[in-house]
Amino acid sequence: MAKHGKKYLEAAKLIDSEATYEPSEAVELVKKAATAKFDETIEAAVRLGVDPRKQDQAVRGVVVLPHGTGKTQRVLVFAKGDKAKEAEAAGADYVGDADMINKIQQGWFEFDVCVATPDMMSEVGKLGRLLGGKGLMPNPKAGTVTFDVTKAVQEIKAGKIEYRLDRAGQIHAPIGKASFSSEQLNENFKALMEALNRAKPAAAKGVYLKNVSLSSTMGPGARVNAAAFR
């Protein structure tokens, strides 16, 4: 069993592990419990009433958080010609085609999100094992395979995140930083939960939002009243 340090144990006294809190109350508690020397990320964990083994119950999508994540995303765009110029104008950190593909094959990964125009995907596909293993492969469902590179880059820079169901039937997603105001975290949290509700598969039966909790990077978790989002 993992041992926790003094700071964690002190922070844990703020949160009753057996209690369920309303969303705004949980946000306040998790903020107070984030006592690390760095600006901790606040993350939501949501267990859904779906079977992750069944394709018709897969849950995956994107949402633009109203106040961003607190992290500046470095965006790489695979594009040529006018689309490459458009990506640069939109604020992409890196833009290229064969040169960038070769760079990644040499072990370069100084970026957080990849966007590609559809005509580049036959070449980008060669990086499947390298990008896929890091969760960086452009995907139409995530809006990262598109000719509208301006929109894609601007949304990512504005705080768009991707969420996807894991093998345990859970979604893990950041909703901001501990330094955010409670109002900002609450609005980001609400946006995420609304997106998950919209993404409910038609094949899902019974209770969809089963368990919801919030926690900071180094702090204890607080259980949230899932019914508040149903």
Side-chain angles (χ1 to χ4, degrees):
M1 189 174 178
K3 289 184 178 180
H4 293 294
K6 270 186 184 179
K7 278 191 176 181
Y8 180 95
L9 295 174
E10 282 300 313
K13 292 176 183 177
L14 298 170
I15 300 173
D16 183 348
S17 61
E18 299 299 317
T20 300
Y21 299 96
E22 291 306 306
S24 59
E25 193 177 3
V27 164
E28 289 285 354
L29 288 170
V30 170
K31 266 176 65 68
K32 287 179 184 176
T35 57
K37 291 180 180 178
F38 62 93
D39 194 6
E40 297 181 57
T41 295
I42 306 298
E43 184 181 85
V46 185
R47 187 160 72 87
L48 300 177
V50 297
D51 187 342
R53 296 169 298 177
K54 296 182 178 177
Q55 198 166 357
D56 63 352
Q57 294 187 40
V59 178
R60 180 178 185 174
V62 295
V63 57
V64 177
L65 300 179
H67 304 286
T69 62
K71 179 185 177 183
T72 301
Q73 299 276 54
R74 298 166 298 175
V75 183
L76 163 62
V77 178
F78 294 105
K80 296 178 180 178
D82 289 342
K83 286 298 170 182
K85 293 175 185 175
E86 184 183 327
E88 289 172 353
D93 299 275
Y94 309 101
V95 182
D97 45 78
D99 56 332
M100 286 296 172
I101 290 171
N102 181 60
K103 205 170 176 181
I104 291 168
Q105 288 173 330
Q106 301 302 314
W108 177 78
F109 289 97
E110 299 299 314
F111 53 91
D112 303 298
V113 184
C114 279
V115 174
T117 53
D119 59 326
M120 283 296 303
M121 284 307 293
S122 60
E123 291 298 310
V124 175
K126 297 174 183 177
L127 301 173
R129 289 179 68 182
L130 292 171
L131 295 179
K134 294 178 179 290
L136 292 168
M137 193 68 182
N139 188 292
K141 290 182 180 178
T144 48
V145 177
T146 176
F147 279 119
D148 194 348
V149 292
T150 295
K151 181 183 177 184
V153 172
Q154 290 178 346
E155 284 188 343
I156 293 164
K157 291 290 187 179
K160 184 172 84 170
I161 61 167
E162 181 181 2
Y163 58 82
R164 62 194 301 178
L165 195 70
D166 66 16
R167 292 179 181 177
Q170 296 188 48
I171 297 280
H172 294 272
I175 62 164
K177 295 286 186 178
S179 60
F180 281 23
S181 69
S182 297
E183 184 179 7
Q184 288 174 318
L185 288 170
N186 276 308
E187 288 177 4
N188 279 357
F189 191 17
K190 182 182 178 185
L192 171 66
M193 298 308 293
E194 286 176 347
L196 291 181
N197 272 323
R198 288 194 298 271
K200 180 181 179 180
K205 306 298 180 186
V207 177
Y208 177 58
L209 298 176
K210 287 201 157 186
N211 294 313
V212 181
S213 66
L214 288 180
S215 63
S216 62
T217 307
M218 304 295 288
R223 293 169 63 188
V224 181
N225 176 19
F229 297 108
R230 290 178 193 141

